[in-house]
Amino acid sequence: PLARANALSHLARFPGDPRLFAALQRALADEQPLVRAVAALRMAPGAADKAAAVASLTMALGDAVTTVRVGAAVALVGMGVKELPGPDGERFEQAKQIYRARAEFNSDDAEQQMGAGRFYLLTGDPVRALTALEGSLRIDPEAPVRYLLAAAYVQQGQVAKAREVLLTIPAGDADYAKAQRLLKAIEAQGGVPR
């Protein structure tokens, strides 16, 4: 199972390959929980496969193994799913709550806090996002969270703080282009001028 899960992680590096989605979807039904969990976490479908991915991940919210359920919830959040109807929605909320508890438990891990900050940002919880992302920076001042931190400030309506953070992102940073776009968007909406 470890080798198969590792292979799935490696395959996820090739998002343009049309076979990837089918492989991940099949892996969501694997007999081994580790393989199912990795498949859920690596699920990042193209537009044509999004509905099928949401359906598969929604089914995975009912998995007997907590790690698989949480992986499915994280993937759904990453795809922009905010809520689900009925019993699926209840399972979705329970899995998200488990993820939140894990994030609190791992509050001394910069990478875990960065992931939690992204999760909270995507679920529309900028207060928790700010706490997690600021915590990540306290633990590791070099953690690549500044763009996410700025986005959380924007969600909070703290545009001046967002701008301050965005201006600290150097040109060589992987998030530099996104930071520049966010700065322009802030300025276009009447935010603090450059």
Side-chain angles (χ1 to χ4, degrees):
L2 184 58
R4 292 198 331 264
N6 197 19
L8 280 176
S9 284
H10 179 71
L11 285 175
R13 296 181 192 172
F14 303 97
D17 190 319
R19 299 170 293 181
L20 176 62
F21 176 70
L24 290 171
Q25 199 168 30
R26 277 191 310 274
L28 275 175
D30 195 276
E31 64 185 27
Q32 293 295 322
L34 178 61
V35 174
R36 295 194 308 271
V38 169
L41 284 170
R42 298 293 182 237
M43 185 74 66
D49 295 321
K50 185 175 178 183
V54 169
S56 295
L57 290 166
T58 299
M59 286 181 53
L61 291 171
D63 198 282
V65 177
T66 302
T67 306
V68 177
R69 294 192 309 268
V70 172
V74 168
L76 286 165
V77 166
M79 291 188 317
V81 176
K82 300 237 185 251
E83 55 186 42
L84 294 169
D88 292 332
E90 291 171 22
R91 285 189 288 274
F92 189 33
E93 290 306 315
Q94 289 168 354
K96 289 192 293 186
Q97 189 55 38
I98 292 168
Y99 182 87
R100 290 181 189 107
R102 187 187 92 188
E104 287 178 29
F105 182 75
N106 291 312
S107 63
D108 60 346
D109 183 315
E111 191 172 330
Q112 290 288 326
Q113 289 306 295
M114 180 175 68
R118 181 179 294 116
F119 175 84
Y120 294 137
L121 197 58
L122 292 171
T123 59
D125 190 347
V127 173
R128 280 188 172 155
L130 284 170
T131 300
L133 295 167
E134 288 170 345
S136 182
L137 275 176
R138 271 193 305 279
I139 297 163
D140 178 5
E142 300 302 314
V145 300
R146 286 177 174 76
Y147 174 77
L148 295 171
L149 184 61
Y153 280 132
V154 168
Q155 276 191 6
Q156 281 276 128
Q158 298 180 44
V159 180
K161 279 189 175 183
R163 184 177 179 278
E164 270 180 49
V165 172
L166 290 168
L167 290 172
T168 68
I169 298 174
D173 191 286
D175 290 326
Y176 180 76
K178 290 190 293 188
Q180 293 304 303
R181 285 192 297 273
L182 185 53
L183 273 171
K184 287 178 183 169
I186 288 170
E187 292 166 7
Q189 293 183 1
V192 181
R194 254 189 182 182

